[in-house]
Amino acid sequence: MPACANRGWAVVGLGTERKTKHESSSIPRCLRVVVAILLLSLLWSTVFAQSQSEVKSKIQASGHTESEVRQRIDETGMSADEIREALKAAGYDPDALNDFLPGGENGPGSAQFQDSTGAGPQRGTNALTAPANPPAFVKAQPRTKVRQEDLPDFSKEIGKRIRISDPVLPFGYEIFGYAPTTFEPLAAGPVDPDYPIGPGDEVIIQVWGDNQYTHSAIINREATISVPDIGQVVLNGLTLVQAKRLITDRLAMVYSGIRARRPSTFVDVTLGKLRTIQVFILGDVVRPGGYTISSVSTVLNALYNAGGPTARGSLRSVRIIRHDSVFKKVDLYGYILTGSRAEDVRLQSGDVVFVPPIGRVVAVVGEVHRPAIYELTAGEGFQDLLRLSGGVSTTAVVDRALIDRIVPFADRDSLSGQDRVALDLPLRQILADSTRNPAVLDRDIVQIFRIGDTRRNTVEITGKPVIHPGVFQWHGGMRVSNLVSDAGGLDPDAYVSRAQLFRTNPDLTRSMRSFNLAKAIAGNPEDDLELQQLDSLAVASVWDIQDRHTVTVGGSVRKPGAYEYLDGMTVMDLIFRAGGLQESAYKMQAEVSRVDSTTIATTKAAAVYQVPITGDYALHSADSSFALQKWDQVFVRETPDWELQRNVVLTGEVMYPGAYSLKKKDERLSSVLQRAGGLKSSAYPRAATFTRKRGNAGRLAVDVENVARKHGGRYDIVLEDGDVIDIPREPKSVKVVGEVGLPSSVIYEGGRSLGDYIDQAGGYTDKSDKSRVRIIQPNGKVRSARHMWWDPAPEPGALIIVPAKPPDQKKETLKDVATIMGILTGAVTTIFLAHEATK
C-alpha cells in the first residue's frame, strides 16, 4: 500500500464531508486509492468478504447505506479497474465492490453514460458506463413541481396576461424529468435483426442436434471472430441476420445435417454483451459533453441521459451530425404524441447529437385537451396547433377563438405604434374546413373559451311528498299538472291547499306565486299555471308545517320516553308500547297530566287525573274508557317501600362466610355476625375491613372486634345493601412505606415501638418529615406519632407512613428578606450621607 495511505488512513471515511469536483481533482492519486480500500476497512476488521452478497450484509450491519458507499466511490474519480487493483494490492477480494463500481448493477450511474473527454465526471453519477447486466426496474421519479420563479419567461408572461389556475408550460420537456435508468437500453439481450455488428460485440453461436456445442467470441478490431471447425469469419458491416446466414453457411460445409432434406443439426446466432460507442451531445441540453454509450442507444436514450433539452432547446429539430454533415433531423413530438419511434435513430460511434435553439412557439390555453406551449415548424399553422393540443374539448365555445399577438416589427409602424393586438378567429368555420389554416406567429397566445354552466330549458320540482323530485326538461305549454305527473305524483301526506312557484325572470331577478295545488292537479286554469324556463315548484308535507304530536310516559315502565300520539290511544296502550310495567310499579293507578291549549293562557296550570290501570295487558283493561290527548304525560309510580333483597357479604374468619340477605331495614352488624356463627378462634377482628359500596363510601373505620365482643355499642352500625366485611387471620408483619431507607414489611414483635419498626426499615432519610409520621392501624384508624414515650404502638397488620418534607420555602423567604433589608440599608445610608452634606 502506498505510504501516503498510512498518513491519511485516520482522516478519510464515510463520515467525511462530500468534496467538490475541484477538491476531488486536487487530492493525490494515492490518497484516492486509500478511499476505495477504506470503504472495506470500515465494514470489516479482520474478516474479508468473499462475495458481493456478504458485502451488502456487512454494509447493513455497519449502519452505513449503500448510497453512501456509491457516493464515496464516485468522489474518488477512479475507474472500476483502478479500484479493483487497489483492493487486490491491499489483500481484499478485487470483486467485492462490483455492485457499487461504475458499470455495476447498482453502481453509481449504472445504465448511464460515461464521460469520454478525460476531464472527469461532469456531474455526480451521470458520467459512467452502461451496465453489463440489465438494470433492475425502478419507479420513475418525476420532476418536482416547478416553482414560480423557475418558470420560463413565456410561461410567466402568459400568467400575467390571462387569468389561469395553473401555469402553462412548454410541451414535452417534462418526460426528461424521470431517472435516466428508466429509459436506458439494455446492455445485453435481444436486438433487432438489422442491428449492425461491430468490434466489441459478443457473438454466441449455438449448435444442437446431431452435433452440439456453444461458442462465444468477441469481435476483434478487424471485425472477425474465430469459430471452431470453420476458422476466421469476417463480420465487418454485416447486420445480425446477415451474420447468422454467413455463419450457418460456413458451418453447413462441415456439418451435413444442417442442409439435409430433414435437418438434424441446427444453428442459432445471438449477441451477448454489446459494445459501447462514443458520441457527443451538444447544444441546448442540460449536461452537454462526450459520452460512452451502448451500441443500441438511440437519440432519445442519449438525450435522456444528458438531462434532455433545456427550455431554450428545440424538440422539433434535433440534429444528428455524422461524418461532418447533418445525417438526419429528428422531431421528438412524434414519439411523445403518438409513441412512434420511426425517427428515433440508432446512433453510431462518433455521432454528434446537437439540439439547436427552440423555434417558433405558440401557447394554446382554455378548452383544449392539452393546454401548453408548443413549438411549431415551418408551414404549420392554427390547424396544426389544434392537432398538437389534442383538439378542442366538447365544452369549448366554437363561435370564436382569440389570439393575443405581439405585432411583428414590420407592421408596428402601420398600426400607430401598437405593440400587441387581439385577433378574433372564426373557430366554427376553421373546424368545418380543414383547408383553412390561419398563420400563427412566434409567442402568440391562443385562447379557446368555455361555454356557460347554466341550463335554461329546465324546470324543477322539490319537496318530501314528491315521488321523483328533481330537474325535468321544459317544453312549450308545460303546466304545473304536467310537471307533477312527470315527477310520479305526490305522497298522501302532501299539503295540497298551498304550493309555491319560484320564477327566475330574464334579468335573473326572482319572484314567487302561491296557488292551490289540489285545484291545479284537477286542471283548474287559475291554479294550473303555465311554466316557464328555470321555474321551480316547491311542494310541502303536512308535517313540514305542523308538529307531530307526542305523549310521554315515565316512572316504573321499562322504556320511558316520548311516543307518537295516535287517535284512540289509551293509558294502557302507551304503557304497552313502553315495554310494560316494571316489577316495582304500583299497578293500581297511573297519573295523567294534561294541558288544554285553549285555556292554558288563563289557567297557567295542568289538569291531573288519576287513571286506574292493571298488570293485565288484555283488551278488557280498566283504562279503556280514558283516551289520551296530544301532549299528555303519564306517570307510573313505584310501590311504596318496594325493593328486592338487600345482601351483605362476610368473608374470612367467620364460621359460615358468604352472602346474607338483611332481614329488616335496620339490621345491624352484630346480628349478621351472629347469623354467620360468630368468629373463628383464628380470627383477628382488629384488622377487619368494612367496605361500603353505596355512595362510593369506600372503607369505613369500624371496630369489628368491639362489636363481636359486646354484641352492640356505637360501632354496631346498620348495614346497607352491598356492604362487605372481611375478617382476616392475625397478620405477622407491619408495613413501613415512604421516606425510609428500605420501604418493606417488618416482622411484628409485641412491645416494639414505632421507632423500632422504622429503624428496621432503614431508618429516616434526609427528606423524611418526622413530624407528620402516621400509623394506620388494622381497623382503619389513623394515629399520629408524638415522638415521645406515649407514641402509639403499631399493631399486627398496621401501616406506617413516613412522608417527605414539603418544598423548602423558608430559605427562599429568608433570601427575599435579606434582599429587602439590603435595599433598605442602602437607602438609609444614602439619606444619611445626603443629610450630612447639607450641614
Side-chain angles (χ1 to χ4, degrees):
M1 184 180 296
C4 65
N6 295 326
R7 295 194 299 270
W9 192 266
V11 296
V12 182
L14 288 174
T16 57
E17 184 179 0
R18 185 177 179 90
K19 302 293 187 298
T20 64
K21 290 187 289 186
H22 175 73
E23 293 171 337
S24 177
S25 62
S26 63
I27 299 175
R29 190 163 189 80
C30 61
L31 192 56
R32 296 186 189 179
V33 177
V34 174
V35 174
I37 298 175
L38 187 57
L39 292 173
L40 286 177
S41 67
L42 289 175
L43 306 179
W44 302 274
S45 54
T46 58
V47 180
F48 295 164
Q50 299 301 320
S51 67
Q52 297 177 26
S53 61
E54 290 180 22
V55 172
K56 293 182 179 180
S57 62
K58 293 292 184 180
I59 290 175
Q60 294 176 356
S62 70
H64 297 290
T65 64
E66 296 182 5
S67 61
E68 288 176 325
V69 177
R70 298 188 191 102
Q71 177 181 338
R72 288 299 168 223
I73 292 176
D74 186 20
E75 289 176 348
T76 64
M78 300 168 61
S79 67
D81 292 336
E82 290 174 335
I83 293 177
R84 291 190 184 95
E85 291 176 1
L87 292 174
K88 183 177 181 181
Y92 291 93
D93 180 4
D95 297 326
L97 291 177
N98 275 0
D99 282 353
F100 307 92
L101 296 182
E105 179 178 352
N106 300 314
S110 59
Q112 298 180 9
F113 292 109
Q114 181 180 13
D115 180 13
S116 60
T117 60
Q122 294 184 9
R123 193 186 77 173
T125 60
N126 287 314
L128 300 170
T129 58
N133 299 318
F137 174 79
V138 293
K139 185 177 180 181
Q141 297 296 326
R143 288 176 178 170
T144 56
K145 188 174 181 180
V146 181
R147 299 179 302 173
Q148 183 66 28
E149 57 270 22
D150 295 334
L151 291 174
D153 293 339
F154 194 20
S155 297
K156 294 179 182 177
E157 181 182 349
I158 296 170
K160 294 177 181 178
R161 303 191 63 83
I162 299 175
R163 186 176 300 175
I164 51 177
S165 57
D166 296 320
V168 181
L169 300 176
F171 174 76
Y173 295 85
E174 67 277 2
I175 68 170
F176 295 102
Y178 294 94
T181 53
T182 307
F183 298 94
E184 177 63 23
L186 301 179
V191 295
D192 60 90
D194 294 330
Y195 173 77
I197 297 176
D201 286 333
E202 180 185 22
V203 178
I204 300 175
I205 303 171
Q206 292 180 313
V207 178
W208 75 95
D210 291 343
N211 303 93
Q212 297 186 9
Y213 74 85
T214 299
H215 176 70
S216 62
I218 303 296
I219 301 176
N220 57 27
R221 293 185 177 181
E222 288 75 26
T224 63
I225 59 173
S226 179
V227 181
D229 299 331
I230 62 175
Q232 294 284 338
V233 178
V234 180
L235 301 177
N236 186 33
L238 300 182
T239 63
L240 177 60
V241 66
Q242 292 172 339
K244 179 178 180 180
R245 187 181 302 112
L246 174 62
I247 295 173
T248 302
D249 291 342
R250 294 283 298 274
L251 288 173
M253 299 172 63
V254 179
Y255 305 109
S256 59
I258 296 177
R259 297 301 186 190
R261 177 177 299 180
R262 294 185 178 181
S264 58
T265 302
F266 305 90
V267 180
D268 191 15
V269 178
T270 60
L271 295 182
K273 184 178 179 180
L274 303 179
R275 70 184 186 276
T276 59
I277 60 176
Q278 185 183 65
V279 298
F280 294 89
I281 307 172
L282 304 175
D284 283 298
V285 294
V286 175
R287 294 183 296 272
Y291 292 85
T292 298
I293 64 174
S294 170
S295 58
V296 294
S297 295
T298 63
V299 175
L300 192 61
N301 300 135
L303 288 176
Y304 264 111
N305 285 271
T310 65
R312 300 182 301 273
S314 173
L315 293 180
R316 306 292 308 273
S317 183
V318 179
R319 302 170 189 174
I320 303 174
I321 301 174
R322 183 174 296 172
H323 305 305
D324 297 330
S325 63
V326 177
F327 170 71
K328 189 170 185 179
K329 292 184 179 180
V330 178
D331 184 355
L332 296 181
Y333 272 19
Y335 178 81
I336 299 172
L337 291 173
T338 65
S340 171
R341 302 193 64 173
E343 296 189 6
D344 195 13
V345 180
R346 181 187 291 116
L347 299 177
Q348 296 183 7
S349 185
D351 281 353
V352 175
V353 178
F354 181 78
V355 178
I358 195 169
R360 177 169 47 117
V361 292
V362 179
V364 57
V365 297
E367 299 307 302
V368 292
H369 291 94
R370 285 189 298 270
I373 299 172
Y374 293 92
E375 179 184 0
L376 300 182
T377 59
E380 291 183 334
F382 185 79
Q383 291 275 14
D384 302 286
L385 178 64
L386 293 181
R387 174 181 55 80
L388 294 175
S389 65
V392 297
S393 63
T394 56
T395 57
V397 174
V398 295
D399 293 335
R400 72 183 185 100
L402 181 68
I403 298 180
D404 184 320
R405 173 168 294 173
I406 299 176
V407 178
F409 298 131
D411 298 336
R412 292 183 187 177
D413 292 338
S414 62
L415 294 176
S416 302
Q418 294 186 49
D419 298 329
R420 288 184 178 273
V421 294
L423 301 176
D424 276 334
L425 290 181
L427 182 58
R428 187 190 303 273
Q429 300 175 18
I430 295 174
L431 294 177
D433 185 1
S434 60
T435 61
R436 296 187 61 173
N437 194 14
V440 286
L441 305 183
D442 188 29
R443 298 179 79 90
D444 275 356
I445 304 174
V446 179
Q447 288 181 261
I448 308 296
F449 299 101
R450 182 181 178 86
I451 60 175
D453 297 328
T454 304
R455 297 171 303 184
R456 302 201 62 86
N457 66 327
T458 60
V459 288
E460 183 182 21
I461 182 171
T462 61
K464 296 179 182 177
V466 182
I467 301 297
H468 301 298
V471 177
F472 294 84
Q473 180 182 351
W474 173 87
H475 52 81
M478 188 177 190
R479 294 183 176 273
V480 170
S481 58
N482 303 129
L483 179 57
V484 173
S485 177
D486 292 345
L490 305 175
D491 286 330
D493 65 332
Y495 186 76
V496 295
S497 298
R498 177 187 289 266
Q500 294 175 326
L501 180 66
F502 299 91
R503 175 157 294 171
T504 302
N505 300 314
D507 59 356
L508 299 184
T509 60
R510 302 193 71 195
S511 60
M512 183 188 73
R513 181 174 176 180
S514 299
F515 60 95
N516 189 302
L517 182 59
K519 294 181 180 180
I521 295 175
N524 187 340
E526 294 183 1
D527 294 280
D528 194 9
L529 306 176
E530 184 174 354
L531 300 179
Q532 297 181 9
Q533 296 183 44
L534 302 181
D535 277 356
S536 178
L537 175 60
V539 180
S541 167
V542 294
W543 302 115
D544 291 334
I545 57 177
Q546 69 180 37
D547 295 330
R548 289 185 178 272
H549 301 149
T550 61
V551 288
T552 306
V553 60
S556 294
V557 293
R558 289 185 171 84
K559 295 183 290 184
Y563 292 85
E564 181 183 4
Y565 167 75
L566 303 173
D567 290 337
M569 178 182 284
T570 66
V571 172
M572 285 306 296
D573 290 331
L574 179 58
I575 292 174
F576 188 77
R577 291 195 65 190
L581 300 170
Q582 295 181 349
E583 292 296 331
S584 60
Y586 180 62
K587 300 178 178 61
M588 299 301 294
Q589 67 179 17
E591 188 174 277
V592 179
S593 172
R594 177 172 294 170
V595 174
D596 188 347
S597 59
T598 61
T599 61
I600 190 64
T602 57
T603 60
K604 302 292 185 182
V608 178
Y609 303 91
Q610 303 297 329
V611 180
I613 61 173
T614 178
D616 182 7
Y617 302 109
L619 292 177
H620 55 75
S621 298
D623 74 320
S624 59
S625 61
F626 190 88
L628 293 176
Q629 296 182 10
K630 56 185 180 181
W631 314 125
D632 278 357
Q633 295 183 358
V634 179
F635 301 95
V636 179
R637 307 301 180 187
E638 190 176 76
T639 302
D641 300 326
W642 188 93
E643 63 180 352
L644 294 174
Q645 296 91 334
R646 297 182 304 134
N647 296 328
V648 297
V649 178
L650 266 66
T651 60
E653 299 303 303
V654 293
M655 297 301 295
Y656 305 106
Y660 288 85
S661 295
L662 299 178
K663 297 188 296 183
K664 52 184 180 179
K665 285 188 175 183
D666 58 350
E667 186 171 8
R668 297 182 179 272
L669 175 60
S670 60
S671 173
V672 176
L673 288 175
Q674 186 177 3
R675 291 167 60 189
L679 304 180
K680 292 181 179 180
S681 59
S682 59
Y684 186 67
R686 294 179 64 85
T689 58
F690 189 105
T691 306
R692 175 157 290 174
K693 295 182 179 179
R694 187 171 181 179
N696 293 324
R699 182 176 178 181
L700 304 181
V702 178
D703 192 343
V704 178
E705 181 184 28
N706 183 284
V707 175
R709 186 175 63 253
K710 297 182 178 181
H711 300 286
R714 67 190 184 94
Y715 292 107
D716 192 12
I717 64 175
V718 176
L719 299 179
E720 295 183 0
D721 184 36
D723 286 350
V724 178
I725 302 98
D726 179 61
I727 303 174
R729 294 175 178 269
E730 181 178 0
K732 302 298 182 181
S733 63
V734 175
K735 190 171 184 179
V736 185
V737 297
E739 288 297 328
V740 293
L742 182 64
S744 58
S745 295
V746 180
I747 300 299
Y748 172 78
E749 298 181 32
R752 291 284 187 181
S753 65
L754 171 64
D756 293 334
Y757 289 106
I758 293 177
D759 289 342
Q760 292 186 60
Y764 294 109
T765 66
D766 294 338
K767 299 180 180 180
S768 301
D769 189 350
K770 301 177 182 179
S771 63
R772 296 193 299 126
V773 176
R774 299 288 184 270
I775 303 173
I776 302 177
Q777 298 291 21
N779 59 5
K781 295 181 179 179
V782 181
R783 297 286 184 266
S784 299
R786 300 184 179 90
H787 299 288
M788 301 187 68
W789 293 314
W790 51 84
D791 270 345
E795 300 175 2
L799 174 64
I800 302 173
I801 301 176
V802 181
K805 293 178 182 179
D808 190 359
Q809 299 177 351
K810 185 175 181 181
K811 293 182 179 180
E812 294 296 330
T813 304
L814 292 175
K815 180 180 179 181
D816 295 340
V817 172
T819 302
I820 295 172
M821 291 302 296
I823 295 172
L824 293 176
T825 302
V828 171
T829 303
T830 302
I831 295 172
F832 173 75
L833 294 176
H835 178 68
E836 290 296 324
T838 57
K839 288 184 178 181

